[in-house]
Amino acid sequence: MDSTKYLSVQSLTKYIKYKFEKDPYLQRVFLKGELSNVKHHTNGHIYFSVKDDQSVISAVMFRYDADKLNFKPEEGQNVLLAGNITLYERRGQYQIYVKEMQIDGIGQLFLKLEENKELLKIKGYLKTEHKKPLPAFPEHIAIVSSTTSAAIKDMITTLSRRYPLVKVTTLNTYVQGGRSKDSVIDNLKRADALKADTVILARGGGSIEDLWTFNELEVALAVFNMKTPIVTGVGHETDITLVDYVSDLRAPTPTAAAEQAVPNIKDLNTRLGELHRQLDNLTLSRISNSRQMLDNLSNYYKFKNPNLLYTEQTERLRDLSSTLDNFMSQELLNLRHRLDKYMSALAYNNPAPDIQKYQSELKRTSGDLNRQMKMMISQKVERLAANINVLESVSPVQILKRGYSYTTFNNKIVTDAKNLNVGDVIETSFNSGTVSAKVTEVNTDDEK
């Protein structure tokens, strides 16, 4: 046998892998199915299988793409996938490298609902402190719902039966479809502007897709921002939408919303009957007690002899007057003692003697100061005169008056003949006037 005609398993596997990778239809594959054998590796990769009723395919989602997911893949989830088909050479098994993954259909809606609910919770919109109380006896109720639905007819019937005194205003609203979100938000604002006592937002049952308008974040915020108390009754008893979490009261059905918005007139009549009977019994009891008290007073011995009342009150008035006189006398005496005490303290602390004393000291000190100032000025004047005499005695002017003079050359005083030369022009200053002269001869002490 010619062995060169036979391929190795590796060669065949590489060839098949090459075919997979070159096929353009396998480079971007969109796949849906159920997750199975999901394993989250410590390195961040996710290994799993995708199956339907007939087949199964292995899959892997590497960490770079897995980090972008907004949910955690789990066993049994129906998902939508996008990725490329390749071959794992070691096992010779084809698989899909998943780049994108999202929950399929209804699961995606439930995921979105949980995200919206968590966002409202983080912002504090679900706290009970934001819930407004419903009025016990509303006069006007506005209903935001489809006027062609059976739900609104049931609500109007229920309101009329339970509390016919209430006024009902209906606002026709799209509760399903592409126009429903804006319609619900607009009519909630209109209902708030009506200044009704209560607003009911309701629609009949349906699938999660049918009720999705009431899971929209914008609709929930419109409900939260209502100034009027609002009751929500959306779907059936098991349906809880996003608006139910932020409304002031959630009812399981539209009819239940109408029941919770108003009291039952039958219950009110029953209660009124009970109160009427209680009032009758209380009135009869008060009359009986008052009659008994009147009988007791009419038989009181003092009322049979009114002079006793006058005498007793006269004596009491005399006692009170005497007590008041004694009290006033004692108070006046106490006040007089306090006044005498304050007058003695004031006389002891009278500043007049100290003022006279300090005035005398001030006068004496002022006289001493004046005498010292005059003596000091006189001494200063004498010292100034002596200093003037000394200055005048050494003054150049006085020396000139005695016949002396001084000579300058080039505006400098000449103190030595050696500093002059024949022909220099010098200037001599006397006590009165100056003389200019030319040097004709210079004699120094060295030449003598």
Side-chain angles (χ1 to χ4, degrees):
M1 295 178 63
D2 186 4
S3 62
T4 59
K5 296 189 297 184
Y6 295 88
L7 296 173
S8 66
V9 176
Q10 181 184 15
S11 298
L12 178 59
T13 303
K14 284 184 176 293
Y15 177 76
I16 296 175
K17 182 177 181 180
Y18 172 80
K19 287 293 186 181
F20 272 85
E21 292 177 350
K22 291 299 181 181
D23 190 336
Y25 296 103
L26 299 180
Q27 300 309 303
R28 184 68 171 170
V29 176
F30 297 93
L31 190 67
K32 68 177 180 178
E34 180 183 330
L35 295 182
S36 176
N37 299 320
V38 180
K39 296 178 181 178
H40 295 269
H41 199 278
T42 55
N43 58 17
H45 305 329
I46 305 174
Y47 300 93
F48 54 95
S49 299
V50 184
K51 66 180 183 178
D52 57 19
D53 295 337
Q54 303 296 327
S55 302
V56 61
I57 181 175
S58 297
V60 59
M61 192 172 195
F62 295 114
R63 178 177 178 177
Y64 174 78
D65 298 308
D67 288 342
K68 300 176 183 179
L69 294 176
N70 57 4
F71 70 100
K72 183 179 181 181
E74 296 178 352
E75 195 83 11
Q77 289 177 333
N78 291 318
V79 294
L80 301 176
L81 307 175
N84 63 289
I85 305 297
T86 186
L87 186 73
Y88 185 50
E89 294 184 44
R90 292 190 62 182
R91 289 199 300 267
Q93 179 182 5
Y94 85 98
Q95 61 185 5
I96 180 171
Y97 286 168
V98 179
K99 298 292 185 182
E100 301 172 10
M101 182 190 303
Q102 60 181 350
I103 300 293
D104 185 18
I106 295 176
Q108 184 71 18
L109 292 179
F110 277 114
L111 181 62
K112 184 63 176 176
L113 174 59
E114 289 301 316
E115 289 178 356
N116 290 342
K117 179 182 174 184
E118 185 64 21
L119 179 61
L120 293 176
K121 182 178 180 180
I122 292 173
K123 292 187 175 182
Y125 292 169
L126 306 187
K127 293 182 179 179
T128 55
E129 62 193 52
H130 297 301
K131 307 293 183 184
K132 298 182 287 295
L134 269 63
F137 305 102
E139 299 179 4
H140 183 194
I141 290 180
I143 300 178
V144 178
S145 188
S146 173
T147 56
T148 60
S149 65
I152 199 168
K153 296 177 183 177
D154 292 341
M155 287 188 286
I156 293 175
T157 300
T158 300
L159 293 173
S160 177
R161 171 177 52 81
R162 286 177 60 87
Y163 198 62
L165 301 176
V166 70
K167 173 187 174 182
V168 178
T169 300
T170 59
L171 299 175
N172 188 27
T173 308
Y174 292 103
V175 293
Q176 183 177 338
R179 302 167 60 183
S180 59
K181 182 175 76 171
D182 292 337
S183 179
V184 171
I185 293 174
D186 291 342
N187 281 333
L188 284 175
K189 293 178 180 178
R190 293 190 183 98
D192 218 9
L194 292 175
K195 297 183 178 180
D197 299 301
T198 306
V199 174
I200 298 177
L201 174 62
R203 69 147 285 161
S207 65
I208 187 172
E209 294 93 338
D210 296 335
L211 302 178
W212 189 251
T213 296
F214 301 91
N215 289 321
E216 294 282 2
L217 187 60
E218 294 88 342
V219 175
L221 292 176
V223 171
F224 179 82
N225 291 323
M226 291 283 288
K227 295 182 177 63
T228 309
I230 182 169
V231 183
T232 52
V234 179
H236 298 300
E237 186 167 355
T238 56
D239 297 320
I240 300 180
T241 60
L242 197 62
V243 297
D244 293 322
Y245 292 105
V246 296
S247 64
D248 299 308
L249 180 65
R250 182 254 172 182
T253 63
T255 302
E259 291 176 348
Q260 296 186 32
V262 295
N264 191 338
I265 195 169
K266 293 182 179 179
D267 296 337
L268 294 178
N269 287 332
T270 300
R271 179 59 178 160
L272 284 175
E274 293 175 355
L275 292 175
H276 190 272
R277 288 190 295 274
Q278 292 177 7
L279 181 61
D280 287 346
N281 293 335
L282 181 61
T283 302
L284 292 175
S285 176
R286 292 289 296 274
I287 291 174
S288 176
N289 292 336
S290 298
R291 182 177 289 112
Q292 182 65 37
M293 184 179 296
L294 180 62
D295 291 341
N296 292 336
L297 290 175
S298 62
N299 294 325
Y300 189 48
Y301 74 97
K302 289 186 178 180
F303 288 152
K304 293 182 178 180
N305 188 1
N307 288 330
L308 294 176
L309 289 174
Y310 173 76
T311 302
E312 181 179 345
Q313 295 302 324
T314 301
E315 292 176 355
R316 186 164 182 269
L317 176 61
R318 184 175 61 252
D319 292 340
L320 290 175
S321 297
S322 177
T323 302
L324 180 61
D325 290 341
N326 293 335
F327 175 78
M328 292 299 295
S329 298
Q330 186 63 40
E331 281 296 306
L332 289 174
L333 182 61
N334 292 338
L335 290 174
R336 186 173 290 108
H337 288 327
R338 289 173 63 185
L339 180 60
D340 292 343
K341 179 180 177 182
Y342 291 146
M343 291 297 293
S344 299
L346 182 61
Y348 178 78
N349 295 304
N350 189 354
D354 290 337
I355 292 174
Q356 292 178 355
K357 173 184 175 182
Y358 292 134
Q359 283 178 342
S360 299
E361 291 182 0
L362 177 61
K363 185 176 180 181
R364 183 177 63 257
T365 303
S366 178
D368 293 343
L369 180 61
N370 288 333
R371 284 191 297 273
Q372 290 179 6
M373 287 297 294
K374 289 179 180 179
M375 183 181 299
M376 185 181 297
I377 291 172
S378 177
Q379 292 174 353
K380 295 295 182 181
V381 169
E382 291 177 358
R383 184 178 298 175
L384 177 61
N387 289 336
I388 290 174
N389 291 332
V390 173
L391 286 175
E392 286 183 349
S393 65
V394 296
S395 172
V397 175
Q398 295 298 325
I399 295 174
L400 292 176
K401 287 181 178 181
R402 292 198 295 270
Y404 291 95
S405 65
Y406 65 91
T407 301
T408 61
F409 174 67
N410 290 335
N411 294 323
K412 294 182 180 179
I413 295 177
V414 180
T415 60
D416 193 339
K418 291 187 296 184
N419 295 330
L420 296 176
N421 296 312
V422 175
D424 290 342
V425 177
I426 60 176
E427 187 175 88
T428 302
S429 297
F430 302 94
N431 181 44
S432 177
T434 59
V435 172
S436 295
K438 180 181 289 187
V439 177
T440 60
E441 184 179 353
V442 176
N443 295 316
T444 64
D445 293 336
D446 294 338
E447 295 176 353
K448 294 181 180 180

